[in-house]
Amino acid sequence: MKIHLLIFLFAISNLACSKKISTSLISDIRDIPLIDNYQESYVCDDALLYAPYAHVAELFYEQIVRVNVHFLNSEERSHNYTEVDGTRLIKELLHNANDRLVKNFKMNLPVDNDTPALDPMYQYELWRADDDEDGIYFHYDDELCFFANKGKYRNNYTNDVIDKYAIGIDTIINIFIMPHIPKKMRSKKYKTSRTGVALGHGLKIAGLYESGKESWEFATLLNHEIGHILGLHHTWRSNDGCDDTPRHANCWGPTDKKPCINISNNLMDYNNSQMAITPCQIGRIHKKFNELGSDQRPLLVKQWCNFDDLSVIKIGEDEHWKSARDINRDIHILKGGRLTLSCRMHMAAGSKIVVEPGGELILDHALIHNDCGDQWSGIEVFYRGKEIGLVSRTEGSEIRDIK
């Protein structure tokens, strides 16, 4: 790496004769000296770098995923919950699904594994498209109300009901609670089991009403299907992109014979638990959350737009951020600290990066910007006597949206 140049904005004439702290503001990438490129090829792509491990916990806040719910019923209103019962049920279901995400059990497989059970750091929130709504809708439609996953009337993979009734589908997961087709329309082998299918930002679930069971019985099914929407795949049949989700026989429950002696409890498998999410799976979700232009990012409440002026991220050691991040606080690089940024980083309006005397900031193919149509406050560099804050960049780094 080349020797760092003094940022030319510094008042050089004052450097040798004053011990007081002085400051300069960097608002243009051209004001930052160039260094040689040294970014590693895997930077920004590894899902595990997006997982909320304890040592990076301060960089995470719980993401809120918007959802709304549609109950489909026949025009005579005899095939699904009443509006009172449906409203109560869905609020209970969402509460229980959120609770199960937070609990996150340890993985059963592989046997004797040491896979950590992390807090997934996302929750669902019932979202109102308009102030006079509650995010729960009831539709009475003989043509589109029924769900069929096999046979002559199969429609589980069609979008008709979603296209007609979805609200805010670009930014809200629309959950459709549907009854199975009536008995007279079923074959003898048709079962009204609990089932679901994810279709873009839409989600069909069937079997609740017919089962007569409590809402919590369907919480893991909801989490499983939303898992698909957030970018996860089944783990048993092929490579799902994660090394901590081993392939297995996909047994529903354990038996005393192989291959079902030890079964999976992963959320994305078909089993009687579905209560475990691995660090890689959580990382894959948060990678999508942080990816500009992804299908998942618009589903989030944009908490990163709101500047938190009561807390600061302090860098006192050598840290290299190899994943994209949305920051809503000031960042202070202390004496002896060095922060290397190698990916995209959003800074909330009014926030800034402070490089204290003896601290160092390196932009290695980094983009620092504001994702909310606002402006952040730039990089503030301090110096005291001959001790200065250092800032440098590689070719290809960018800073945007500064006041």
Side-chain angles (χ1 to χ4, degrees), residues 38 46 56 79 91 135 142 174 183 210 228 315 348:
Y38 70 101
D46 187 344
V56 291
H79 289 84
K91 290 181 177 180
D142 285 345
N174 281 240
K183 190 173 183 179
E210 292 87 349
H228 284 308
I315 308 297

Side-chain angles (χ1 to χ4, degrees), residues 237-387:
R237 63 174 63 170
S238 60
N239 182 11
D240 70 334
C242 286
D243 292 336
D244 53 13
T245 55
R247 295 189 188 184
H248 56 89
N250 195 34
C251 302
W252 179 257
T255 68
D256 57 359
K257 296 181 180 179
K258 292 182 178 182
C260 297
I261 296 174
N262 299 298
I263 70 164
S264 173
N265 62 339
N266 191 267
L267 176 65
M268 299 311 297
D269 298 329
Y270 295 155
N271 58 73
N272 61 10
S273 172
Q274 294 182 306
M275 285 286 289
I277 318 175
T278 69
C280 176
Q281 289 176 310
I282 298 170
R284 285 177 65 88
I285 289 173
H286 283 277
K287 185 173 182 292
K288 291 293 187 181
F289 286 166
N290 281 278
E291 183 180 316
L292 298 181
S294 73
D295 289 336
Q296 292 76 18
R297 188 171 176 83
L299 299 171
L300 301 178
V301 177
K302 298 180 75 170
Q303 300 176 83
W304 55 86
C305 294
N306 303 320
F307 177 45
D308 178 3
D309 61 355
L310 299 179
S311 61
V312 175
I313 297 173
K314 296 182 179 181
I315 308 297
E317 299 178 349
D318 191 351
E319 297 192 23
H320 190 170
W321 293 2
K322 301 178 181 180
S323 58
R325 301 193 182 280
D326 294 310
I327 302 299
N328 64 348
R329 293 163 281 172
D330 286 346
I331 299 174
H332 284 204
I333 304 174
L334 310 178
K335 180 178 180 179
R338 179 170 67 178
L339 176 60
T340 303
L341 301 176
S342 292
C343 304
R344 181 196 67 82
M345 184 171 75
H346 155 88
M347 295 291 289
S351 67
K352 60 187 175 183
I353 301 173
V354 174
V355 187
E356 297 187 3
E360 184 177 3
L361 173 65
I362 301 172
L363 308 184
D364 176 29
H365 295 81
L367 164 64
I368 310 178
H369 72 131
N370 178 276
D371 183 49
C372 304
D374 292 313
Q375 294 179 312
W376 63 292
S377 297
I379 303 169
E380 195 169 11
V381 184
F382 284 80
Y383 63 91
R384 182 192 295 107
K386 294 183 178 181
E387 189 173 41

Side-chain angles (χ1 to χ4, degrees), residues 24 28 42 71 102 152 164 175 198 260 293 320 369 372-373 383 385:
S24 298
D28 192 314
Y42 66 83
F71 284 89
V102 173
K152 177 181 177 180
K164 183 172 181 178
I175 303 168
C260 297
H320 190 170
H369 72 131
C372 304
Y383 63 91

Side-chain angles (χ1 to χ4, degrees), residues 182-202:
K183 190 173 183 179
K184 64 182 180 180
M185 300 170 66
R186 303 175 205 156
S187 68
K188 293 182 179 180
K189 295 182 178 180
Y190 191 97
K191 295 181 180 180
T192 57
S193 58
R194 59 179 188 174
T195 186
V197 60
L199 300 167
H201 289 174

Side-chain angles (χ1 to χ4, degrees), residues 116-143:
L118 307 178
D119 184 343
M121 296 296 290
Y122 69 91
Q123 295 276 274
Y124 318 127
E125 185 172 319
L126 201 56
W127 202 257
R128 300 182 301 176
D130 296 307
D131 290 338
D132 61 346
E133 299 176 346
D134 60 4
I136 306 173
Y137 309 94
F138 294 84
H139 311 289
Y140 305 96
D141 185 329
D142 285 345
E143 182 180 354

